[in-house]
Amino acid sequence: MTKPELKELLKIYSKIRDAVINGDSRVVIKRYRGDLCINVPPWAKSVEKGICELLDTENELIKNVIDLSYIKGLKDKEILTRLPLSESGYYRLKNYIEEKIFQLCIVFGYVTKADVLSEKIR
């Protein structure tokens, strides 16, 4: 699993979360141009586990961002109107959350050394 793969999964995570929890390998989601069949990767369960770990350990603001963004699937603009955050602060926090989930996936054994080294330093 790489960071770009994780980010793509997190974009649709709210739509496939029930399938991840149930252990389904495929899920069909409604899109504006019809149905889309998604193959749920085997490491998606570690993303759910990582989100649960963060919900147990982080402060209320981070919990709210995780809940609204990844669990409920609200758009960024809508989240910004609900939370006391600047736009840049929100995106920094969201980046921090994604990084933390990636680190937890490393701990859970779903990221290989090659995956880590394939990410270029910006």
Side-chain angles (χ1 to χ4, degrees):
M1 174 186 89
T2 62
K3 274 189 196 176
E5 290 172 334
L6 175 65
K7 287 184 182 216
E8 286 301 312
L9 181 79
L10 288 173
K11 285 181 187 176
I12 60 167
Y13 188 73
S14 64
K15 295 178 176 96
I16 67 167
R17 184 169 187 252
D18 289 337
V20 171
I21 292 170
N22 294 332
D24 299 337
S25 61
R26 297 183 127 214
V27 65
V28 176
I29 59 174
K30 302 281 185 205
R31 299 298 289 260
Y32 56 91
R33 291 187 179 156
D35 296 343
L36 179 64
C37 185
I38 306 279
N39 291 324
V40 179
W43 48 265
K45 192 74 170 175
S46 69
V47 173
E48 171 65 22
K49 189 175 175 183
I51 288 173
C52 290
E53 293 276 336
L54 290 178
L55 289 173
D56 289 341
T57 59
E58 293 294 338
N59 65 44
E60 283 304 309
L61 182 61
I62 294 174
K63 288 178 184 181
N64 286 334
V65 171
I66 292 170
D67 181 53
L68 295 173
S69 183
Y70 302 117
I71 295 175
K72 292 184 179 169
L74 298 180
K75 302 286 184 204
D76 291 343
K77 298 276 185 200
E78 196 172 347
I79 296 169
L80 283 167
T81 61
R82 292 182 180 205
L83 297 177
L85 283 170
S86 67
E87 188 172 347
S88 63
Y90 168 71
Y91 287 112
R92 270 196 317 267
L93 193 57
K94 196 169 175 183
N95 190 39
Y96 163 78
I97 291 167
E98 290 173 357
E99 184 66 33
K100 199 71 135 162
I101 292 171
F102 186 72
Q103 290 171 355
L104 288 169
C105 289
I106 291 171
V107 171
F108 301 146
Y110 285 97
V111 181
T112 65
K113 180 180 175 181
D115 292 335
V116 172
L117 293 176
S118 71
E119 293 296 318
K120 300 298 177 202
I121 297 173
R122 292 184 240 164

